Every structure is written in structure tokens, then in C-alpha cells.
Amino acid sequence: MVCIYCSGDTQVINSRLQKRPNQVWRRRKCLECGATFTTHELAAYEGSWRVKSSSAGLQPFNKNKLFLSLYKSLATANTP
């Protein structure tokens, strides 16, 4: 990652997993200007995962679409 102040290379000083799924907290230090800053990084599944749909072929993974389909299926399963 590049420095947000001078665009130089950075080094990870400290890294910790967060309680939120797939999130990492990192403290970085710039090797050129010496500035330190914090980043919160998430896994980007949209760019790497593909989902096969019946009508459109392969589409990028969409977390919201998955959540809505699960919500709808559980809502119809609980109705008498």
C-alpha cells in the first residue's frame, strides 16, 4: 500500500483481526516520510467470486442479493 501523505511505500507495523467478519485492522508506517496511519481492510469478494445464474450466466458475487434471497426463503418457510 502507498502512503496517504507522500505516496511512498509503507510497512505494516501491527495487524489485528476484528470482530466484524473478514475485516483486518492494520497500523502502517511510511518508509519515506515516517508518517503512521491506520487502515481497516475488507475482503473484496465482488471482484474474485463469480456466481452462475440461470438466466445471465456468470455474474459477480453480490452480498446484498444473497441476503435478500435468504430472507425471502426464510420468510416463506415460516408462514403457515
Side-chain angles (χ1 to χ4, degrees):
M1 183 169 184
V2 298
C3 177
I4 59 174
Y5 302 107
C6 72
S7 300
D9 290 332
T10 61
Q11 177 183 11
V12 176
I13 299 172
N14 195 354
S15 182
R16 296 183 185 162
L17 292 174
Q18 296 296 300
K19 290 182 181 178
R20 294 181 181 168
N22 301 323
Q23 189 174 17
V24 178
W25 173 91
R26 288 198 170 109
R27 175 67 85 179
R28 295 180 174 271
K29 182 175 182 179
C30 179
L31 299 175
E32 292 185 27
C33 70
T36 58
F37 57 96
T38 303
T39 60
H40 296 273
E41 301 171 14
L42 296 170
Y45 297 124
E46 292 82 10
S48 59
W49 287 359
R50 300 283 181 208
V51 178
K52 185 176 181 181
S53 71
S54 59
S55 61
L58 290 177
Q59 297 179 339
F61 174 75
N62 186 342
K63 182 173 62 172
N64 294 331
K65 196 172 191 179
L66 175 65
F67 176 76
L68 286 175
S69 64
L70 287 172
Y71 180 79
K72 288 178 185 177
S73 65
L74 291 173
T76 57
N78 291 331
T79 55

